[in-house]
Amino acid sequence: YYVLGFLTAGTDANASRQHYQQAETHLRKALDRNKNFRSARAYLVCVLSELGKQDEAVAEMVTLRAMGRPQASQDPEQFQRFQEFIQQTHPWENPAITTRLIELWR
């Protein structure tokens, strides 16, 4: 649902928002089952940000970082490692999706 929201964002804002809302619902259910499910929490950060829920997105990112997720640093070498990590763990065919994920997680 995150990807559907992303793909429809430029053409149908209402449909995009609905996809993001569906994604939030499903990701929260996944986290109810396993609070340590890092991928679900990572995508929840993105979904919340896309929905304009910045405070919630920041709180989820704090939790995610405490779980050991690599951080995007201002240091170019560390940021390069962060980008490589994202590209390996979230290999989307559409590079715009990966770019947006990196922006949001940064």
Side-chain angles (χ1 to χ4, degrees):
Y1 288 107
Y2 171 77
V3 172
L4 290 172
F6 176 84
L7 294 174
T8 58
T11 57
D12 188 341
N14 188 44
S16 178
R17 183 165 188 76
Q18 288 177 351
H19 290 306
Y20 288 138
Q21 288 170 335
Q22 286 180 309
E24 179 183 6
T25 298
H26 292 293
L27 292 166
R28 288 191 186 279
K29 284 181 185 179
L31 289 169
D32 284 344
R33 291 182 180 186
N34 180 355
K35 67 179 180 148
N36 296 317
F37 187 6
R38 293 185 339 180
S39 292
R41 194 170 303 280
Y43 279 95
L44 182 59
V45 167
C46 295
V47 167
L48 292 171
S49 184
E50 299 288 12
L51 289 170
K53 300 179 179 182
Q54 291 308 116
D55 291 342
E56 291 178 62
V58 168
E60 292 295 341
M61 182 54 84
V62 168
T63 301
L64 192 58
R65 284 183 176 162
M67 297 168 75
R69 179 175 184 86
Q71 295 184 30
S73 171
Q74 296 301 328
D75 176 89
E77 186 176 314
Q78 287 182 339
F79 183 67
Q80 178 65 31
R81 281 184 285 195
F82 171 77
Q83 282 185 302
E84 289 170 3
F85 171 79
I86 298 304
Q87 290 167 342
Q88 289 173 359
T89 57
H90 304 280
W92 293 102
E93 187 175 309
N94 181 338
I97 296 170
T98 304
T99 300
R100 184 63 179 155
L101 293 173
I102 290 169
E103 288 173 10
L104 292 170
W105 288 329
R106 190 169 193 203

